[in-house]
Amino acid sequence: MNTKTLLNDMQHAGALSPGQFTLLDELHRNRRYSFHGELRTAVYLGVLLVAAGVALTVREYFARLGDIAIIGSLTTGCLAAFSYCFLKGGPYSHEAVESPNILFDYVLLFGCTCFATAIGYVETQFDVLGRLWIHYLLLSASLFFFLAYRFDNRLVLSMALSTLAAWFGFQLSDAFEAFHRYYRESAIAYSAVSFGLGIALYRAGIKRHFLHVYLNFAVHFLLAALVAGVFEHRFSSWHLPALALAAAAVAVYSVRSRRFLYMLYAILYGFAGANALAIRFIDSTGTMFLYGIGTSLAVIWLIFHLSRKYREAA
């Protein structure tokens, strides 16, 4: 029995009113379409363009505008955005909280961008902390974490985690002089911290819906670091078995949580690691071309096949 027949039978049996039948029938035939996602994307892009415009203006015209005008404008924009959010935002809750309106999240994002631009400009022009400027990153990350949890905003949480990742990278690389030597270790350490923090907050019942933001960052940084190690050392280091175990763990979590995105991560990073090993044994351009085409098509087929399985199981 298809959906259309089932709806007709339910209406004839009196289980559905005419209005309910019409609504469900239109939904089934995809006659109704929500533009909510498109509107949110458009507003998000608009905020990013405004933020980019602010940064370009500061870069191109700082000599003409003067330090006071630039810092004052950025500070005003930051304070105005944060004031709006505190005035319009609802009370804090450990659970998910709906935004008051579609612009709210992006006003908050704009305020965070102005804050980051302002402190970056101050340090660039006046060199307040010198080589200790990385502590600005930790300060910014702390503020973004607070705002993300206060206003239940995943975008700002992503900014906080990105800023924390930058702090980790510089902090653990011997005052940035040997960053190229320790970037993998920094990425793995950051992955462990972000994963542990996300799990701890989830178990504490604090914004449990944020868990997958933490997991996305942890998975990407861990797998990218391990793939980089495989590319450099091939079979002669621990990176290869660690990559295999990590990709398998991510795939198992994907199956258990029924989230295809994590399976996609496992496939793509595993494919990258396999390529790092395979290209060492390919000694001709033609063979390399055939290998690339064949394996890419196989991976694409696997992704589409598994995505269909996930949709059918949903």
Side-chain angles (χ1 to χ4, degrees):
M1 180 182 294
N2 59 34
T3 304
K4 178 66 175 177
T5 303
L6 178 62
L7 290 175
N8 286 329
D9 291 344
M10 292 178 67
Q11 184 187 29
H12 293 319
L16 291 178
S17 67
Q20 291 173 328
F21 172 82
T22 301
L23 174 63
L24 292 174
D25 183 56
E26 288 179 347
L27 289 174
H28 170 62
R29 291 188 288 176
N30 294 322
R31 286 188 173 182
R32 292 178 179 238
Y33 184 79
S34 172
F35 290 94
H36 183 70
E38 287 72 13
L39 289 174
R40 290 182 68 90
T41 301
V43 175
Y44 177 52
L45 292 175
V47 171
L48 290 181
L49 290 174
V50 172
V54 170
L56 289 174
T57 300
V58 171
R59 178 183 175 185
E60 295 294 329
Y61 302 107
F62 70 92
R64 186 184 308 171
L65 296 175
D67 296 331
I68 295 178
I70 290 175
I71 296 173
S73 299
L74 291 173
T75 302
T76 301
C78 174
L79 292 177
F82 291 161
S83 298
Y84 171 85
C85 292
F86 277 99
L87 290 173
K88 295 293 185 179
Y92 171 79
S93 172
H94 285 340
E95 306 300 326
V97 178
E98 290 292 332
S99 298
N101 54 65
I102 194 173
L103 292 175
F104 184 89
D105 290 342
Y106 305 99
V107 172
L108 178 61
L109 180 64
F110 175 74
C112 293
T113 304
C114 286
F115 173 81
T117 305
I119 62 173
Y121 182 82
V122 168
E123 183 59 32
T124 301
Q125 293 300 108
F126 304 106
D127 196 22
V128 178
L129 296 184
R131 293 179 63 82
L132 298 178
W133 64 268
I134 58 171
H135 295 303
Y136 280 121
L137 296 175
L138 192 58
L139 172 65
S140 298
S142 300
L143 175 64
F144 297 158
F145 272 116
F146 166 74
L147 294 173
Y149 276 84
R150 172 61 183 83
F151 297 112
D152 200 345
N153 191 297
R154 290 181 176 87
L155 292 174
V156 177
L157 178 61
S158 297
M159 288 185 66
L161 289 169
S162 301
T163 308
L164 183 63
W167 180 84
F168 254 86
F170 289 120
Q171 183 67 26
L172 300 183
S173 60
D174 194 21
F176 356 116
E177 294 177 359
F179 181 75
H180 65 285
R181 293 174 51 194
Y182 301 114
Y183 70 94
R184 283 192 296 270
E185 290 78 3
S186 298
I188 293 172
Y190 168 77
S191 175
V193 169
S194 59
F195 177 78
L197 182 59
I199 293 296
L201 291 170
Y202 178 84
R203 291 184 175 178
I206 301 174
K207 301 291 185 186
R208 289 188 167 186
H209 55 290
F210 279 176
L211 175 62
H212 290 287
V213 179
Y214 287 95
L215 292 184
N216 271 279
F217 274 84
V219 167
H220 277 301
F221 274 82
L222 175 62
L223 293 181
L226 294 176
V227 167
V230 172
F231 265 96
E232 181 173 348
H233 301 290
R234 301 299 199 283
F235 294 97
S236 60
S237 77
W238 55 270
H239 293 89
L240 180 58
L243 175 62
L245 288 174
V250 172
V252 170
Y253 176 77
S254 171
V255 173
R256 291 184 175 179
S257 63
R258 296 184 179 180
R259 290 180 177 268
F260 176 71
L261 184 62
Y262 294 99
M263 182 63 73
L264 182 63
Y265 296 159
I267 293 172
L268 294 180
Y269 282 107
F271 179 56
N275 284 340
L277 301 176
I279 58 177
R280 183 178 182 181
F281 303 100
I282 299 177
D283 54 3
S284 69
T285 303
T287 304
M288 177 70 76
F289 177 77
L290 292 176
Y291 169 81
I293 294 296
T295 55
S296 298
L297 290 175
V299 168
I300 292 173
W301 176 86
L302 178 62
I303 290 173
F304 276 101
H305 177 72
L306 290 177
S307 66
R308 188 179 300 113
K309 292 293 186 182
Y310 274 73
R311 287 196 299 268
E312 292 173 356

